[in-house]
Amino acid sequence: QVQLVESGGGLVQAGGSLRLSCAASGIIFRLNDMGWYRQAPGKRRELVAFMTAGGNITYSDSVKGRFTISRDNAKDTVYLQMNSLKPEDTAIYYCNAERIARNYWGKGIQVTVSS
């Protein structure tokens, strides 16, 4: 059974930092492309950051220069370091694993940035 479990969310003031983690099980982690997505109230889910199995990285324009995605294949974990947080970063953040048309999602974790 595939599980993606996010942790590290919470409430932070604008300008602060958080580090999200997503621990994966039930997949061959090193072969999966991993991504972080977010969904704010009333909005569609959007890509935040994406890292292929080969290490190629993509960021949304809204987080470029502030967020950093990384992965530890030995720990089957992907991270999202979020710095200089803004109130508009408030959302539920989801971890995603993808490989050969198989797509898995975590349950999501709340990140709230107060102004």
Side-chain angles (χ1 to χ4, degrees), residues 14-34:
S17 298
L18 284 173
R19 188 194 196 204
L20 302 183
S21 300
C22 171
S25 59
I27 59 173
I28 305 175
F29 181 82
R30 60 182 174 82
L31 298 182
N32 277 261
D33 298 336
M34 300 299 298

Side-chain angles (χ1 to χ4, degrees), residues 4 6 20-22 27 29 32-38 45-53 56-59 69-71 77-80 93-99 103-106:
L4 301 176
E6 301 98 339
L20 302 183
S21 300
C22 171
I27 59 173
F29 181 82
N32 277 261
D33 298 336
M34 300 299 298
W36 287 98
Y37 293 74
R38 68 186 181 188
R45 191 173 297 188
E46 63 174 1
L47 172 69
V48 175
F50 187 83
M51 188 171 189
T52 69
N56 294 316
I57 293 174
T58 302
Y59 295 103
I69 187 171
S70 61
R71 62 192 295 163
T77 300
V78 62
Y79 304 97
L80 185 68
Y93 283 71
Y94 297 89
C95 177
N96 174 266
E98 182 179 335
R99 180 182 177 229
N103 215 312
Y104 303 103
W105 293 92

Side-chain angles (χ1 to χ4, degrees), residues 41-113:
K43 295 189 177 181
R44 300 177 71 173
R45 191 173 297 188
E46 63 174 1
L47 172 69
V48 175
F50 187 83
M51 188 171 189
T52 69
N56 294 316
I57 293 174
T58 302
Y59 295 103
S60 70
D61 288 344
S62 62
V63 307
K64 206 171 291 183
R66 300 188 298 122
F67 290 11
T68 302
I69 187 171
S70 61
R71 62 192 295 163
D72 186 336
N73 289 341
K75 295 183 178 180
D76 291 354
T77 300
V78 62
Y79 304 97
L80 185 68
Q81 178 67 43
M82 305 186 293
N83 298 329
S84 302
L85 282 160
K86 305 175 181 180
E88 51 264 43
D89 293 319
T90 295
I92 298 174
Y93 283 71
Y94 297 89
C95 177
N96 174 266
E98 182 179 335
R99 180 182 177 229
I100 313 175
R102 293 189 178 183
N103 215 312
Y104 303 103
W105 293 92
K107 292 182 179 180
I109 192 163
Q110 179 70 46
V111 171
T112 303
V113 184

